[in-house]
C-alpha cells in the first residue's frame, strides 16, 4: 500500500485525554512528513482553535476544519475548499433553538463565536477545564447573534452545541426536526454538530485530494467519533481508535491502540514503515 496522506482527527484521536500531543505521536508525524507523506489535521474544531502543538509542526501544510466545511492552507486566511451552510439556513437553525438554554457556537470565517450573555451563566454548563478558557479568549463573544449571522455573507461553516445533557439533546433535536438539508452529527457524547447537508470530513478530504492531485485510495484516516465516519469509510485505509465509538470501529479497516496509548504512532509505524 502506498500511503501519501494521513488525515487525523484531533480530540480523542491524535490528542490524549489531557488534550496533549504526546511525544511518540509527534515523532511519528515528523517521520511520516520526512518520508514525503502529507499530514493533515482533520477536526471538528474551527481553524483558529487548532492546537498550536499541531498547527506549528514543521511540514503540516493543510488543515481540514469544521468537520470538513473548510480546508485551509496553513498560514493563509482564506480556505481553499468550502462547503458552508447559507446565511438563511443558519438563521433558520438559530431561530429554531434560540430559546433553549445552551451554548450556541457559530463557526464563521475560521473563528468561533457565541452569545455574550452566556458568560453570565457559564458556570451552569459542565465544561471540561481544558476547554473553559476558550470562551472569551479563543472563541469570541457577540451581543446579537442573529444580526451577526446576517452580516457574514460567506455563510456558516458549522454550528456547535456543546456541553449538553441527554435531556437537552432530546429537546434540541426536537427543535431541529423541522429544519431540512442539514447534517447532524457528534464528536462527543455531550454535543450536537450541525453542518450543511453533504459537508463532512470525507467530503472535505476528497476536496483537498482533488486540489493536490491524490486519490482517496492513497489516504489513511484516523478517527474515533461520529463525525469521523465518512472519512474513515472513504479513505483507502480507515483507522479507528480503541477508545472510539463502535460504529466507527465497524467502518474501519483496522482498530489501533487508544489515544492514551499512542495509537496514531502505532498504526503509522505498522502500515507506513514496517518491513513486509
Amino acid at each position: 500500500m502506498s500511503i501519501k496522506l494521513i488525515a487525523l482527527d484531533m480530540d480523542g484521536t491524535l490528542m490524549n485525554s489531557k488534550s496533549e500531543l504526546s511525544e511518540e505521536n509527534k515523532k511519528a508525524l515528523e517521520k511520516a512528513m520526512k518520508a514525503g507523506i502529507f499530514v493533515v489535521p482533520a477536526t471538528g474544531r474551527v481553524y483558529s482553535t487548532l492546537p498550536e502543538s499541531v498547527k506549528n509542526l514543521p511540514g503540516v501544510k493543510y488543515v481540514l476544519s469544521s468537520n470538513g466545511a473548510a480546508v485551509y492552507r496553513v498560514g493563509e486566511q482564506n480556505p481553499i475548499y468550502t462547503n458552508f451552510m447559507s446565511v438563511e439556513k443558519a438563521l433558520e437553525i438559530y431561530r429554531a433553538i434560540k430559546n433553549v438554554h445552551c451554548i450556541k457556537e457559530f463557526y464563521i470565517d475560521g473563528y468561533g463565536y457565541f452569545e455574550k450573555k452566556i458568560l453570565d451563566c457559564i458556570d451552569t454548563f459542565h465544561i471540561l477545564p481544558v476547554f473553559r478558557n476558550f470562551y472569551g479568549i479563543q472563541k469570541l463573544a457577540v451581543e446579537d447573534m442573529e444580526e451577526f449571522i446576517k452580516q457574514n455573507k460567506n455563510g456558516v461553516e458549522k454550528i456547535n452545541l456543546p456541553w449538553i445533557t441527554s435531556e437537552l439533546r432530546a429537546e434540541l433535536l426536537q427543535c431541529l426536526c423541522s429544519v431540512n438539508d442539514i447534517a447532524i452529527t457528534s464528536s462527543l457524547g455531550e454535543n450536537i454538530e450541525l453542518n450543511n447537508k453533504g459537508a463532512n470530513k470525507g467530503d472535505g478530504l476528497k476536496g483537498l485530494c482533488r486540489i493536490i492531485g491524490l486519490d482517496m485510495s492513497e489516504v489513511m484516516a484516523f478517527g474515533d467519533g461520529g463525525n469521523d465516519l465518512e472519512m474513515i469509510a472513504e479513505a483507502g485505509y480507515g483507522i479507528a481508535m480503541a477508545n472510539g465509538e463502535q460504529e466507527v470501529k465497524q467502518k474501519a479497516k483496522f482498530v489501533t491502540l487508544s489515544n492514551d496509548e499512542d495509537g496514531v504512532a502505532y498504526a503509522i509505524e505498522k502500515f507506513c514503515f514496517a518491513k513486509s
Side-chain angles (χ1 to χ4, degrees):
M1 185 196 327
S2 176
I3 296 172
K4 296 182 180 178
L5 187 151
I6 298 172
L8 299 138
D9 171 56
M10 296 288 99
D11 301 303
T13 300
L14 179 63
M15 312 301 284
N16 62 25
S17 57
K18 296 180 181 179
S19 200
E20 298 170 337
L21 174 64
S22 73
E23 192 61 29
E24 285 302 309
N25 280 348
K26 181 181 177 181
K27 288 178 180 177
L29 298 185
E30 290 172 341
K31 183 175 180 179
M33 288 186 286
K34 188 175 181 180
I37 299 171
F38 288 101
V39 168
V40 179
T43 180
R45 296 193 192 195
V46 70
Y47 182 59
S48 62
T49 64
L50 189 75
E52 293 297 316
S53 59
V54 176
K55 190 163 61 175
N56 293 336
L57 277 175
V60 173
K61 298 179 180 179
Y62 303 99
V63 172
L64 188 154
S65 66
S66 298
N67 285 342
V71 179
Y72 288 87
R73 186 177 283 111
V74 172
E76 296 184 7
Q77 184 175 359
N78 296 318
I80 60 175
Y81 177 79
T82 63
N83 192 344
F84 295 168
M85 67 175 67
S86 67
V87 169
E88 292 74 22
K89 183 59 64 177
L91 288 171
E92 182 184 1
I93 293 170
Y94 176 74
R95 290 163 184 160
I97 63 175
K98 182 178 181 179
N99 294 323
V100 180
H101 179 66
C102 67
I103 299 174
K104 306 167 186 75
E105 301 176 355
F106 286 75
Y107 295 177
I108 299 171
D109 292 334
Y111 291 89
Y113 298 90
F114 66 98
E115 295 167 301
K116 188 175 182 180
K117 64 183 180 181
I118 287 296
L119 292 174
D120 296 330
C121 56
I122 196 75
D123 292 331
T124 66
F125 302 101
H126 301 290
I127 303 173
L128 293 175
V130 70
F131 295 112
R132 176 60 179 80
N133 68 345
F134 275 27
Y135 297 98
I137 301 177
Q138 292 194 48
K139 292 181 181 177
L140 310 175
V142 298
E143 292 284 353
D144 189 326
M145 184 59 74
E146 189 163 351
E147 286 303 312
F148 185 75
I149 295 169
K150 291 177 182 177
Q151 294 168 13
N152 287 272
K153 301 304 181 184
N154 290 335
V156 173
E157 298 174 22
K158 173 182 150 180
I159 300 170
N160 189 40
L161 310 174
W163 320 116
I164 56 175
T165 62
S166 57
E167 291 79 10
L168 267 181
R169 175 181 293 276
E171 181 180 356
L172 286 163
L173 291 176
Q174 180 62 37
C175 291
L176 292 165
C177 67
S178 62
V179 181
N180 298 317
D181 297 325
I182 56 173
I184 302 178
T185 187
S186 176
S187 58
L188 304 166
E190 302 162 320
N191 78 339
I192 293 174
E193 303 180 24
L194 307 170
N195 284 91
N196 191 41
K197 184 178 180 181
N200 55 65
K201 292 184 183 183
D203 176 73
L205 196 52
K206 286 189 288 187
L208 174 60
C209 284
R210 286 194 296 269
I211 291 169
I212 62 178
L214 295 182
D215 189 86
M216 287 292 286
S217 65
E218 300 172 304
V219 173
M220 182 162 64
F222 290 82
D224 72 305
N227 63 336
D228 299 314
L229 280 171
E230 292 87 356
M231 178 175 72
I232 294 291
E234 296 182 30
Y237 215 80
I239 309 290
M241 308 303 293
N243 54 285
E245 296 177 10
Q246 190 60 35
E247 189 177 6
V248 179
K249 294 177 182 178
Q250 290 172 349
K251 291 281 187 182
K253 292 181 175 66
F254 180 75
V255 178
T256 189
L257 303 177
S258 76
N259 64 319
D260 284 326
E261 299 171 300
D262 303 318
V264 166
Y266 176 82
I268 288 176
E269 189 63 36
K270 177 179 178 67
F271 294 109
C272 295
F273 299 109
K275 296 179 181 179
S276 57

